[in-house]
Amino acid sequence: MTRQTDLGKKVIYQLYPKSFYDSNGDGIGDLRGVIQKIDYLKQLHIDQIWFNPFFISPQHDNGHDIADYYRIDPKFGTMDDFREMVKVLKEAHIGVMLDMVLNHISTDHEWFQRALAWDAKYQKFFYLRSPKANGDLPNNWESKFGGPAWAPFGDSGQYYLCLYDKTQADLDWHNPEVRQELEKVVRFWMQEGVEGLRFDVINVIGKDEQLVDSPSPRQLTVEKALYTDTPVVHQYLKELNQKTFGADDQIVTVGEMSSSTIENSIEYTNPSEHELDMVFTFHHLKVDYQDGNKWTDMPFDFQKLKHLLIDWQTKMDQGHGWNALFWNNHDQPWALSRFGDSGQYREKSAEMLAAAMHLLRGTPYIYMGEEIGSINTPYQSIDEYNDVESINAYHQLMAEGKSPQEALHLVYLKSRDNSRVPLAWDDSPQAGFTTGTPWLQPKNQERINVKAELDHGEIFNFYQRLIQLRKSEPLISAGHFRAHLADHPAVLAYERYLDDDQLLVFNNFYGDATEVLVPSEFVGKGGQVLIDNYEADLAQLPGQIKLRPYESLAFKISRS
């Protein structure tokens, strides 16, 4: 698997342009801001940066509602800025990965506007349907942001499908002209020097031409099966691969896979299938959802988390699939606030989470701010939030009988705005992000910021060490996966193995010390500690190890 061996050496940094650094004082991060912070990015020795969308957009969904695939929104800069950024990043040996939102477009997009103007060609670009005979909506599907997944199509009497926000119209991939237009978009950005492509919610492009009712309304798991991971998605991805990025070995591709299965993810990423390089999947980030409901307050289910990670790692390895490894992104509250300790053990739990993920089989992604131990933002009012999903959830929670305080607490725990708050560069009121008024107000910068972390912190340095190990240690970049201590109540333990070498990894997910029995086949074996966030010093593995709070220990044994 030469392709996957190469992917295993890469580390990708996700950058939310709106919140990274503002170069002109308008309160919004921009491309020139990225250029000005190149030296910071170089220190991590990352291979690529995945940029969230910075195309023309009305910003109803923070740029995932694209109104023009070919133009950069003036809020973020110009095409000249983009080309300069690509150039200086390439000089720093960092490639650019762009976000391709190809399932839907903004209703401001020319295609949708021409459809509204009765252009028959463009009306075929969308799922336009008449109401049922009784006047009901075309079907009973729910929007992922709340409410029905249909909106009136002008004054035509028809409705258009919008699985996300009402201003995001789903494209009909059954129409070959739609696919051809989207292929042009991909080729355009490849010609501009892009080396990576991240495809947004790409496994929902295969909706059936007959959009039937969900047999269990409001049971989203049942409903999602009607439009998720359908067989035609594989056909579409093979076609996209063949006609765009497939001939260029330098292009790295990743698909965001909503509610995908392991079997489908293997097919998406097995090199022999010629679809994508890797997948983002989210099952492990739903283990603190009460009865599957995101907007709830419950401790994360560690056993569920552990077994999901083990199951995906084991079966993807066996099936020659490939995972994108991540805890954080722009759609998630901070993992450190969910699975770690944002107070007493912030540093140690941040490092443990990093090691637990980075030492797995796959390609790690670091979301900006993760490398300095960022945590959730304690806003005091719903008016301080920007995210459409969070605001909708707040009002829905109130409608369900929650008090304003209860609803706000649940939004604080799970809002996507937590990770979208501007990156704190220093402890000033605007966090060194802007000289103006930030689009979203930072709150934690007095405690957590880049300057303080680089001056006297330990998390950033720990990430540097993990990245260096991935590039230098074949066990990590190319090794296979085997689980250990599967029923331990506090520890995720696993082995990476390759030829005659083994790496045994122990991760304590709690703030209490815990004992682990070392599997008998490793006891007394000589080797070395590759990394430990408490700097353990072992020359061989004893029969029992006491792991300190949030300790991560990786021990390498070489038989050669």
Side-chain angles (χ1 to χ4, degrees), residues 122 147 156 185 326 363 397 418 460:
Y122 289 99
S156 69
V185 171
F326 71 104
T363 298
L397 289 163
N418 283 301
F460 188 90

Side-chain angles (χ1 to χ4, degrees), residues 514-535:
T514 188
E515 302 278 353
V516 293
L517 293 174
V518 175
S520 58
E521 63 266 34
F522 299 104
V523 174
K525 298 289 180 63
Q528 66 178 119
V529 175
L530 274 194
I531 193 166
D532 180 278
N533 59 342
Y534 281 89
E535 306 302 335

Side-chain angles (χ1 to χ4, degrees), residues 67-82:
D68 190 330
Y69 286 111
Y70 297 98
R71 292 171 57 212
I72 292 168
D73 195 309
K75 297 183 185 73
F76 299 115
T78 66
M79 184 59 84
D80 285 342
D81 293 331
F82 174 79

Side-chain angles (χ1 to χ4, degrees), residues 172-313:
D172 187 350
W173 278 61
H174 294 284
N175 181 346
E177 288 189 84
V178 168
R179 302 199 301 275
Q180 289 161 14
E181 287 293 337
L182 297 176
E183 289 159 9
K184 289 179 189 176
V185 171
V186 173
R187 286 194 293 268
F188 173 85
W189 290 106
M190 287 174 57
Q191 289 163 6
E192 288 292 339
V194 167
E195 296 179 8
L197 300 163
R198 180 263 187 188
F199 295 100
D200 186 68
V201 294
I202 198 67
N203 64 327
V204 303
I205 59 174
K207 294 170 280 286
D208 197 83
E209 291 181 278
Q210 302 300 316
L211 304 178
V212 300
D213 273 343
S214 169
S216 302
R218 302 191 69 81
Q219 294 294 315
L220 291 184
T221 302
V222 175
E223 184 173 304
K224 285 175 182 176
L226 296 173
Y227 56 76
T228 303
D229 277 346
T230 58
V232 74
V233 175
H234 295 287
Q235 176 187 321
Y236 291 152
L237 288 178
K238 284 176 170 64
E239 180 181 281
L240 185 64
N241 179 310
Q242 179 186 1
K243 294 186 177 180
T244 60
F245 55 82
D248 188 342
D249 289 340
Q250 299 304 307
I251 301 291
V252 174
T253 58
V254 56
E256 181 192 29
M257 300 297 172
S258 174
S259 305
S260 187
T261 64
I262 295 176
E263 293 73 23
N264 275 294
S265 293
I266 288 171
E267 187 172 351
Y268 290 134
T269 61
N270 186 322
S272 65
E273 296 293 335
H274 302 288
E275 295 186 23
L276 300 173
D277 286 325
M278 65 189 96
V279 291
F280 285 116
T281 60
F282 301 94
H283 306 276
H284 66 295
L285 296 178
K286 298 179 181 180
V287 296
D288 56 355
Y289 288 17
Q290 184 76 49
D291 299 322
N293 182 1
K294 171 179 178 175
W295 304 101
T296 49
D297 182 3
M298 65 166 281
F300 76 100
D301 185 334
F302 174 63
Q303 290 302 318
K304 186 175 181 181
L305 171 67
K306 179 162 68 169
H307 289 291
L308 279 167
L309 291 174
I310 289 172
D311 201 30
W312 276 81
Q313 282 283 299

Side-chain angles (χ1 to χ4, degrees), residues 105-125:
I105 58 170
S106 168
T107 52
D108 286 359
H109 195 288
E110 178 190 7
W111 300 343
F112 192 82
Q113 291 300 310
R114 291 181 70 168
L116 279 175
W118 300 100
D119 187 320
K121 171 183 174 178
Y122 289 99
Q123 287 188 341
K124 294 175 183 176
F125 275 40

